[in-house]
Amino acid sequence: MRILVVGAGATGGYFGARLAQAGRDVTFLVRPRRAATLRERGLRIIGLGEEEVITPQLVTADELSSPYDLVLLSVKATTLEQAIEDAAPAIGPKTAIVPFLNGMAHLDQLNARFGARPVLGGVAKILTTVNDDGDIVRLAPLATLTIGEQDGRPSPRVDAVHALLDDAGIDASVSTDIVAAMWHKWVFITTVGALTCLMRGTVGDVSAVPGGSGLGPAILAEAAAVSAAAGFPVPEAELATTTSIVTRAGSPFASSMYRDVMSGRPTEVEHVFGDFVTRARALSVATPLLDLATLNLRVHEHRTEQAALERA
C-alpha cells in the first residue's frame, strides 16, 4: 500500500515515522522549506527519554504525479486549503483519505473537493510539538488513532487501514460512529483550549487560585451542550474524565493552542473555535465563555498578523 502523509509536523510526522519504521511505503508531502530541514537533520522524534531519526522519503507538490492508496492528512487548519490542492494529484478513484484535524469543517471541505466517498473520519490523540530545530517532541506517552467511515458502516478499506496501522505498532481503533468521536474530541479541545488560553496558564495554574477550579467545568458544560444539540451527546464517563483533567491541582497540562499563543504563533481559532460557536448559534445554544475565548484568540490572531506584516 502506497501511503502519502500530507505534512510532517507534530502529528503526521510522528505517525508517518512509525509507519516508515515498520517498513511501510511512506512518502511525506511537504513544503520546500520543511523538505530542506528534513533532508539536513532527518525526521527526528525526541522526548520521553528517546531520540529516533529516520531518513524520510519526501515529495513536494510539483513532484506529485500519480495516485496513492492511502492519504493521511495532518496539517494546520490554516494551511488546509493549500494542502488539499497540493495533494489533489495523489487522489485517485481508489484512494482513501484519512484526515486528522481538529474540529469538523475540514470534512466539509474535503467532501466538497473530492466527494464524500474517499473521505474517512479520523481522530488523533497525541501530545507532541515541533521545536525550533524542526524535531518532533513527545510530551506524553499518549498516541492513538481512531478511524471510520463517515456513515458508520463497516468497510473492507477501513479494516485494511486499521490492519496497516496496527501492524506498525500504532495504537489504532475503528469507530462505528466516527463523526460522534470527532465531535467529542472537539468538545475536549475547545474546553482545554478556552481554559488555558483565556487564563494564560496551565490547568494547575488555574486550579491554584480561588474560583479557578470551577472554570473548566463551566466551559465544558457549554461545549457539551453544543455537541448534544448537534446530536452527539458526550458520554458521562468522558465528561467525568475531562472534568478531572481540567481541575487537577498542580497539573502542567495545557492545550497546543495555548503553546501557540505563548510562542506568538498563529492559531486555528476559526477552524476550532469560530466554527464551534457559529454552530452553537445555529443550534440556539448559549456559549458566553466560549464566545469570550474566541474573541480573545481573534485578538491574538490580529496581533500575530500585524507583527508579520511589520517584519515583512
Side-chain angles (χ1 to χ4, degrees), residues 16 55 96 141 172 199 227 230 258 267 289 310:
T55 302
M199 296 296 101
S227 188
Y258 166 79
T267 70
L289 292 171
E310 291 171 5

Side-chain angles (χ1 to χ4, degrees), residues 6-17:
V6 183
T11 299
Y14 176 82
F15 288 113

Side-chain angles (χ1 to χ4, degrees), residues 126-139:
I126 183 169
L127 292 172
T128 50
T129 188
V130 176
N131 66 16
D132 292 339
D133 292 325
D135 301 337
I136 298 168
V137 183
R138 297 191 71 190
L139 305 175

